[in-house]
Amino acid sequence: MTVLPSDGLSLAAAFPHPSHDQWQHLVEGVLRKSGKDVGGAAAEEALSTTLEEGVTTRPLYTSRDSAPPSGLPGFAPFTRGGTAAGTATGGWDVRQRHALADPARLNEALLADLENGVSSLWLTVGGPSGVPVAALGRALEGVHLDLAPVALDAAEEFGAAAAELLRLHTERGVAKSAVRGTLGADPWGRAARTGAEPDLSEAVHWARVCDREYPGLRAVSVDALPYHEAGGSAAQELGLSLATGVTWLRELTTAGLSVEAACGQLEFRYAATADQFLTIAKLRAARRLWARVAEACGAPGAGAQRQHAVTSTVMMTRRDPWVNMLRTTLACLGAGVGGADAVTVLPFDEALGLPDAFARRIARNTSAILIEESHLARVVDPAGGSWYVERLTDELAEAGWAFFQETERAGGLSAALASGLVAERLAATWAARSRDLARRKEPVTGVSEFPNLTERLPEREPAPAVPGGGLPRVRRDEAFEALRRRADAHLAATGSRPRVFLAAIGPASAHTARVSFASNFFGAAGIEPVTATVPVDSPGVAGSAFAASGAGLACLCSSDPLYAEAAAPVAAALASAGAPRVYLAGRPGEHAGVDDYVFAGCDAVAVLSSVLDRMGVA
């Protein structure tokens, strides 16, 4: 009989406390069954995953995985939040992005968003995709500027846009002390995107104006999105945001602002991805690192970083765009749990063109559900205390700080951009990630995995071209998208998709797994699979079925034991029927008549590109 402790029920009282070694021993047994004979720490390493910049996530975290004290929310090092209450009082700022040149259409969209849950507006002003500066008043008709903060994205027209926005506030009777939002000066972000020489004079001027007259308004955006969108890692994004922030501190203090006032003029912008834990840790690490910068500058109390998180464009896909709703939901969850002050959820059709009203509605409702129904904002720093999150935060902070130091050693952000250091390092990171994408080690649902060849994509008004000339903009789906477009062009020209014949050898129990694998594999390039079951003792069935399929190539699908018996005769029958090349779904081996192999971990992009070439698909 177990005697319960006097202070309450202890459900684990009757069980012995397991040790880490015992857990590793059980892992060894599981791995041994899968063909991996490793023991001790090596067993744990076999289940670990290496992320970017050498950061590794392990399968188990315990109290042994120490991290520096994260303090309390609202206190240095601000890891747990820039304010004591976090977003618990009303949720994060739901900030919707708008890039429409027509002021009437823009006004209609703004009012619809504000009436349905959006709490601030992010407006593109000027340029090919933004509302003209002179039409800003028309676009903001009916908008209560004292209730709805505005964040500007005006690029080279920043000064004129800032002046016009503040003129509208004055015209409508909004007290200077009540003005909220950000003027969005971002010459460094523009320099990264376009290669243009940054002009900081206007930004410095408006920062001084805001500090002197508008206590609730920030002048400068420290935008890390250009680095994320060029393929950078989370650590590189952190390091370059610090380098940008430090550059602004130097400029603003030289112009006469105190360190505290200069920090108060900055709003930091980061990408939120579907990797929710990486997003949570990145935002927490960003606050900790900026607190360290403020401390080193002699203003530890000014280190509470204000953060604006934006769902990643890199993760958004053009194919099966509805899946983007799930990606942005996870990204928004990560941003909210990570403590972002403002969150922008991009519409699911962002990669297809200008979003429609339905897409904007889903975007804003993503935050509404997480705040109002999931109660995600009711707890301050809900991830705090998790051994995994705390350790990942620490590792990201160390990697981000190391890249920041490398940038500073190169002469600071300006010199690092001009010398090509930033572009070179980001390109190397993206090249490594691209290899994982090509091998489907990083799967993209609806693109490299489970493609839908019969889908009809929603039609959207084309979005204006974005400025270029600087760092590239990348997407995870770009290599497979290029393959799909080749197949789509073939369909448009000939009336049918390129086809591959799948010879399913033996019973369903033997071939189903590899038929599914091969269908997804070839489908990722827009190639239509045509399947026929081939009895082991009748290889000739494969030849006649291939001839009737209209396929340009053939692939054998079965189990390894049946391959040993039937692969060679079936491949010979297919070749006799005119198959110019025969593939086998499985690891490379010695099978007569088989020309190539497709298997998990192979370079799918290279293989599928060569398949389309052999089929004559331009």
Side-chain angles (χ1 to χ4, degrees):
M1 178 178 177
T2 301
V3 179
L4 297 178
S6 59
D7 58 346
L9 178 64
S10 178
L11 297 177
F15 297 93
H17 182 69
S19 67
H20 196 88
D21 291 340
Q22 287 176 303
W23 174 80
Q24 282 187 345
H25 180 70
L26 293 177
V27 170
E28 292 171 21
V30 174
L31 290 175
R32 197 171 294 114
K33 292 178 182 177
S34 65
K36 295 182 179 180
D37 192 8
V38 292
E44 190 168 348
E45 289 298 322
L47 296 179
S48 299
T49 302
T50 301
L51 305 177
E52 307 142 324
E53 298 296 306
V55 176
T56 300
T57 57
R58 301 193 302 277
L60 181 69
Y61 288 81
T62 68
S63 57
R64 303 190 311 174
D65 299 294
S66 60
S70 54
L72 292 172
F75 293 89
F78 301 105
T79 305
R80 307 195 65 186
T83 60
T87 58
T89 54
W92 53 83
D93 174 8
V94 180
R95 182 178 295 178
Q96 191 88 318
R97 186 183 183 192
H98 292 272
L100 287 171
D102 183 342
R105 290 178 59 193
L106 176 57
N107 179 255
E108 181 182 353
L110 296 180
L111 294 179
D113 281 346
L114 291 171
E115 291 168 1
N116 292 280
V118 166
S119 52
S120 71
L121 305 170
W122 184 16
L123 304 183
T124 301
V125 182
S129 60
V131 64
V133 173
L136 192 57
R138 170 68 184 93
L140 292 172
E141 282 183 7
V143 175
H144 297 286
L145 295 177
D146 54 337
L147 300 178
V150 175
L152 295 178
D153 180 3
E156 65 271 18
E157 298 184 54
F158 155 73
E164 177 63 10
L165 179 64
L166 294 180
R167 186 192 70 79
L168 290 172
H169 279 83
T170 301
E171 182 181 89
R172 299 182 187 182
V174 180
K176 291 183 177 181
S177 60
V179 177
R180 298 289 184 270
T182 174
L183 299 180
D186 185 28
W188 287 114
R190 181 168 175 264
R193 290 193 190 280
T194 67
E197 187 69 24
D199 180 4
L200 310 184
S201 57
E202 278 193 315
V204 171
H205 163 73
W206 284 104
R208 296 176 66 182
V209 170
C210 289
D211 177 59
R212 185 173 63 247
E213 302 178 29
Y214 297 91
L217 185 65
R218 295 174 186 248
V220 177
S221 289
V222 177
D223 193 355
L225 296 187
Y227 312 113
H228 169 78
E229 292 170 1
S233 68
Q236 289 167 339
E237 190 181 346
L238 288 172
L240 291 168
S241 74
L242 291 183
T244 307
V246 167
T247 301
W248 278 116
L249 290 185
R250 293 183 179 125
E251 292 291 332
L252 295 177
T253 53
T254 299
L257 272 68
S258 66
V259 174
E260 291 84 355
C263 287
Q265 289 303 308
L266 308 182
E267 180 179 80
F268 289 76
R269 185 175 296 139
Y270 295 103
T273 73
D275 188 333
Q276 60 186 17
F277 290 109
L278 193 64
T279 297
I280 293 167
K282 179 171 68 176
L283 296 178
R284 299 173 91 250
R287 290 193 296 272
R288 173 179 156 191
L289 291 174
W290 186 245
R292 178 70 184 92
V293 169
E295 180 185 21
C297 293
Q305 186 185 75
R306 179 167 178 81
Q307 294 178 336
H308 174 204
V310 183
T311 57
S312 166
T313 59
V314 177
M315 71 178 180
M316 304 288 267
T317 63
R318 287 155 277 201
R319 306 288 171 163
D320 207 356
W322 319 103
V323 182
N324 290 329
M325 296 183 194
L326 305 178
R327 296 186 178 103
T328 54
T329 298
L330 286 169
C332 184
L333 184 149
V337 173
D341 301 285
V343 178
T344 295
V345 176
L346 296 180
F348 73 89
D349 54 359
E350 175 273 341
L352 298 176
L354 294 177
D356 65 2
F358 172 74
R360 291 199 312 273
R361 175 189 173 198
I362 295 298
R364 64 179 180 252
N365 282 349
T366 301
S367 280
I369 288 174
L370 292 175
I371 294 171
E372 304 293 344
E373 297 188 26
S374 297
H375 308 304
L376 199 63
R378 288 194 178 182
V379 177
V380 181
D381 187 30
S386 160
W387 292 314
Y388 171 41
V389 171
E390 297 290 2
R391 185 63 183 167
L392 185 57
T393 298
D394 184 50
E395 291 176 350
L396 272 181
E398 290 181 2
W401 189 261
F403 194 71
F404 163 61
Q405 290 180 312
E406 180 181 351
T407 304
E408 288 293 286
R409 284 195 298 270
L413 180 66
S414 180
L417 284 171
S419 68
L421 170 67
V422 172
E424 179 183 334
R425 290 295 304 273
L426 300 185
T429 299
W430 180 245
R433 190 176 179 188
S434 294
R435 287 192 290 271
D436 285 345
L437 288 163
R439 288 171 169 76
R440 305 197 300 172
K441 291 183 178 179
E442 182 181 338
V444 183
T445 304
V447 178
S448 64
E449 298 283 355
F450 312 114
N452 180 6
L453 299 188
T454 62
E455 70 176 329
R456 294 188 62 182
L457 295 177
E459 295 183 4
R460 295 291 184 263
E461 180 182 347
V466 295
L471 296 175
R473 293 177 186 247
V474 300
R475 291 184 185 269
R476 292 195 308 162
D477 69 349
E478 57 190 24
F480 289 96
E481 177 66 20
L483 299 174
R484 288 288 292 271
R485 286 180 176 172
R486 290 178 64 181
D488 287 353
H490 183 82
L491 171 62
T494 67
S496 63
R497 287 192 170 279
R499 294 177 178 174
V500 61
F501 176 77
L502 304 183
I505 304 171
S509 59
H511 67 238
T512 297
R514 279 177 169 154
V515 165
S516 297
F517 169 82
S519 295
N520 278 321
F521 184 90
F522 289 104
I527 301 171
E528 179 184 352
V530 180
T531 306
T533 300
V534 179
V536 176
D537 57 356
S538 302
V541 171
S544 58
F546 174 80
S549 70
L553 297 170
C555 181
L556 310 183
C557 300
S558 192
S559 63
D560 290 340
L562 288 188
Y563 281 152
E565 179 182 351
V570 173
L574 290 168
S576 298
R581 194 167 183 82
V582 177
Y583 292 80
L584 182 145
R587 290 284 171 182
E590 298 295 330
H591 298 290
V594 173
D595 300 300
D596 208 344
Y597 297 82
V598 295
F599 52 93
C602 73
D603 189 333
V605 170
V607 172
L608 291 170
S609 182
S610 69
V611 167
L612 291 175
D613 290 343
R614 293 180 185 280
M615 289 181 168
V617 178

